[in-house]
């Protein structure tokens, strides 16, 4: 497996948030112990413990190491290990995993904003730039800038502000074309690569950042909104 296919998440708040979203969306996850597997749902998640409800009440587990694997609400494949601390016929109490692995290429779980969304940032050379966000993940964006914009690669970003606009789903409670806006501020980032060959009026640049737990939670929620909007339109995120 290539390194680019694996992302390790170790920050307890970020790990917990993955399971909190599974709880909110009522999505099942798979648990495996000594070759025996069972589906379960998260009924409680904190920064130290998980409580799971087993689909099959007759499935047998024992206290000790257990593996899990599932597809999270953002469509990423998650694997990891934990320990069963307590159990009965219906529930399992697990220690929050010290880390989880996301096994999927980054471009497979990037999503496209459903409306014009922009990034405003200041480079190390003190250029203040703004460009349209072409796609976004919890660790980076692809941003479009005019070819004439003075950008070097790599280039450190001293401040990054993401203005993310989300088209609300049509319903009896929303007007056609209604928008919801999110403002996400990231302290440091890097323009890591140029992603085009310079054949158009605009150039695209890959910007990478390592979000805090709070920012990652914000981005995860926004990305989920974008992905849901794409599904409703019959598109793939």
């Amino acid at each position: 497996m290539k390194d680019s296919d694996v992302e390790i998440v170790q920050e307890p708040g970020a790990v917990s948030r993955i399971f909190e979203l599974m709880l909110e969306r009522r999505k099942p996850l798979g648990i495996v112990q000594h070759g025996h597997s069972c589906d379960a749902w998260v009924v409680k998640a904190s920064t130290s413990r998980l409580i799971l409800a087993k689909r099959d009440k007759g499935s047998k587990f024992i206290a000790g190491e257990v593996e899990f694997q599932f597809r999270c609400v953002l469509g990423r494949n998650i694997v990891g290990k934990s320990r069963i601390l307590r159990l009965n016929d219906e529930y399992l109490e697990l220690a929050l995993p010290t880390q989880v692995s996301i096994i999927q290429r980054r471009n497979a779980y990037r999503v496209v904003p459903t409306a014009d969304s922009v990034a405003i940032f200041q480079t190390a050379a003190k250029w203040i730039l703004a460009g349209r966000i072409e796609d976004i993940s919890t660790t980076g964006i692809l941003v479009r800038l005019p070819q004439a914009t003075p950008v070097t690669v790599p280039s450190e970003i001293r401040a990054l502000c993401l203005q993310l606009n989300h088209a609300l789903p049509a319903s009896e409670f929303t007007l056609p074309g209604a928008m919801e806006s999110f403002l996400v501020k990231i302290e440091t980032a890097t323009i890591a690569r140029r992603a085009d060959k310079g054949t158009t009026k605009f150039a695209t640049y890959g910007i990478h950042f390592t979000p805090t737990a709070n920012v990652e939670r914000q981005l995860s929620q926004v990305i989920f909104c974008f992905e849901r909007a794409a599904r409703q339109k019959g598109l793939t995120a």
Side-chain angles (χ1 to χ4, degrees):
M1 181 177 294
K2 298 179 181 178
D3 292 341
S4 60
D5 290 338
V6 180
E7 178 183 348
I8 306 298
V9 180
Q10 295 178 310
E11 204 282 319
V15 174
S16 178
R17 184 57 180 162
I18 291 173
F19 291 96
E20 289 172 4
L21 289 172
M22 296 293 285
L23 168 60
E24 292 173 10
R25 302 303 301 172
R26 293 290 296 167
K27 290 178 66 69
L29 53 85
I31 50 178
V32 181
Q33 186 181 62
H34 307 309
H36 173 70
S37 62
C38 176
D39 284 346
W41 286 272
V42 180
V43 296
K44 185 175 182 179
S46 72
T47 54
S48 61
R49 295 287 190 273
L50 295 173
I51 296 180
L52 308 180
K54 296 187 294 182
R55 181 194 292 271
D56 180 3
K57 296 180 181 180
S59 60
K60 301 298 182 182
F61 290 89
I62 61 174
E65 187 175 272
V66 66
E67 300 180 2
F68 56 86
Q69 53 190 17
F70 58 94
R71 192 171 178 85
C72 76
V73 299
L74 300 178
R76 302 175 293 182
N77 295 317
I78 309 291
V79 298
K81 296 181 179 180
S82 183
R83 290 178 295 109
I84 297 177
L85 305 176
R86 294 188 297 178
L87 71 165
N88 58 32
D89 289 342
E90 297 185 359
Y91 299 101
L92 302 172
E93 181 179 348
L94 280 65
L96 184 78
T98 56
Q99 68 177 43
V100 298
S101 299
I102 301 173
I103 304 179
Q104 197 164 346
R105 291 183 185 275
R106 179 176 298 169
N107 61 12
Y109 60 88
R110 283 179 176 263
V111 297
V112 177
T114 55
D116 285 352
S117 295
V118 297
I120 302 171
F121 55 93
Q122 178 180 336
T123 68
K126 296 186 178 180
W127 290 102
I128 297 177
L129 307 173
R132 177 176 174 174
I133 298 173
E134 297 292 287
D135 62 38
I136 184 170
S137 75
T138 55
T139 57
I141 60 173
L142 197 66
V143 63
R144 186 175 67 171
L145 298 168
Q147 291 282 9
T149 301
V151 176
T152 57
V153 179
S155 177
E156 295 301 313
I157 295 176
R158 301 296 174 84
L160 176 62
C161 182
L162 307 181
Q163 177 68 56
L164 303 169
N165 300 314
H166 166 53
L168 293 174
S171 74
E172 60 182 311
F173 302 107
T174 60
L175 296 173
M179 303 292 297
E180 184 177 15
S181 294
F182 302 89
L183 188 64
V184 181
K185 296 182 179 179
I186 298 167
E187 292 185 0
T188 58
T190 302
I191 301 177
R193 64 189 177 92
R194 181 165 175 165
D196 73 292
K197 298 180 180 180
T199 58
T200 65
K201 293 181 180 179
F202 292 89
T204 52
Y205 295 88
I207 296 179
H208 176 75
F209 47 78
T210 301
T212 62
N214 182 54
V215 169
E216 183 168 21
R217 282 192 292 269
Q218 288 179 281
L219 289 173
S220 295
Q221 191 62 44
V222 176
I223 288 170
F224 175 75
C225 290
F226 290 154
E227 185 187 45
R228 180 178 58 188
R231 289 199 307 269
Q232 290 173 339
K233 291 182 178 179
L235 304 175
T236 56

